[in-house]
Amino acid sequence: MKGDLPVFAVTGKKDSGKTTMVTSIIEELTKNGYYTASVKHTRGEYGIDKEGTDTWKHGKAGAAIVVFSTPMETTISIKAKKSLNEILKILSQFDLDVVIVEGMKEEDIPGIDPSKADEIDMNEVVQNLCRRIDIYRIERELPGLDCGRCGYTNCDAMAEARYRGEEVECSVESNVVLEIQGERIPLSSFPAKMLKGGIEGMLRSLKGVESLDDVIIKLNQEER
Ligand code: SF4
């Protein structure tokens, strides 16, 4: 599996200081160059739109998704409840480093509770998060096959080793990707080179092929 996008939660009672803690974590991560998303969860049955605004009227009329676009920002409002997994799936379309969640106590997410602030070392919290993100950044560049050919049990362990500074090679990391029925097939360097050489040679002989950047070939065994 490709590394999961790091998610960190700040949960606790109402007015316990969750938002203050979330904003200070986001500020620190942003200062350190990480691309952060936040999720605010509330049990209240209301939306971000104020009654009577144009976008509120669009939603009220039945639009399933309302987009508010200004020169400063783009707000996409989905007029339906979404689970955390669904929200993370939507966010995965962006090249994010981490998602900070305020609320969602019932979800099994690593995090902190501001009511225990005396026991929390915020520097340590941010450092641990930065470490998780750095490992995730390494892991998302690996094939995510968890095949163990490199000697590590999975890509996560390999990413941790690279993070520690070990110079270790992924045995199937190559610029050739072979998928059969949606499953990525681990390719070590010899078959990867053979495939690449053969396909490149054939493609170069074709009229109209000027570049071999980002080539996708799909084979279908059905008779046409
Ligand atoms: S060889 Fe590559 S794909 Fe396989 S587990 Fe190691 S890092 Fe992951």
Side-chain angles (χ1 to χ4, degrees), residues 142-150 152 154-155 158 170-172:
L142 294 171
L145 296 171
D146 292 339
C147 64
R149 290 184 185 200
C150 54
Y152 293 93
N154 51 36
C155 298
M158 161 66 115
C170 164
S171 314
V172 299

Side-chain angles (χ1 to χ4, degrees), residues 113-128:
D113 177 348
S115 64
K116 297 177 186 141
D118 296 348
E119 302 159 27
I120 300 170
D121 178 343
M122 283 310 287
N123 282 335
E124 201 181 309
V125 167
V126 172
Q127 265 175 26
N128 283 339

Side-chain angles (χ1 to χ4, degrees), residues 63-80:
I65 297 177
V66 177
V67 179
F68 183 55
S69 166
T70 79
M72 273 184 64
E73 64 178 35
T74 307
T75 308
I76 300 172
S77 175
I78 302 169
K79 302 294 174 190

Side-chain angles (χ1 to χ4, degrees), residues 3 14 21 31 40 43 48 59 76 96-97 122 136 143 149 154 163 174-177 182 188 195 207 209 211:
K14 200 172 184 300
M21 212 165 244
K31 238 193 282 172
K40 161 75 188 176
R43 291 180 197 287
I48 202 165
I76 300 172
L96 290 165
D97 288 315
M122 283 310 287
Y136 165 71
R149 290 184 185 200
N154 51 36
Y163 175 79
S174 85
N175 47 7
V176 179
V177 175
S188 52
L195 267 176
K207 253 191 192 164
V209 174
S211 161

Side-chain angles (χ1 to χ4, degrees), residues 22 41 77 87 102 121 144 201 213-214:
V22 166
H41 177 256
S77 175
I87 294 170
E102 180 179 333
D121 178 343
D213 282 345
D214 215 9

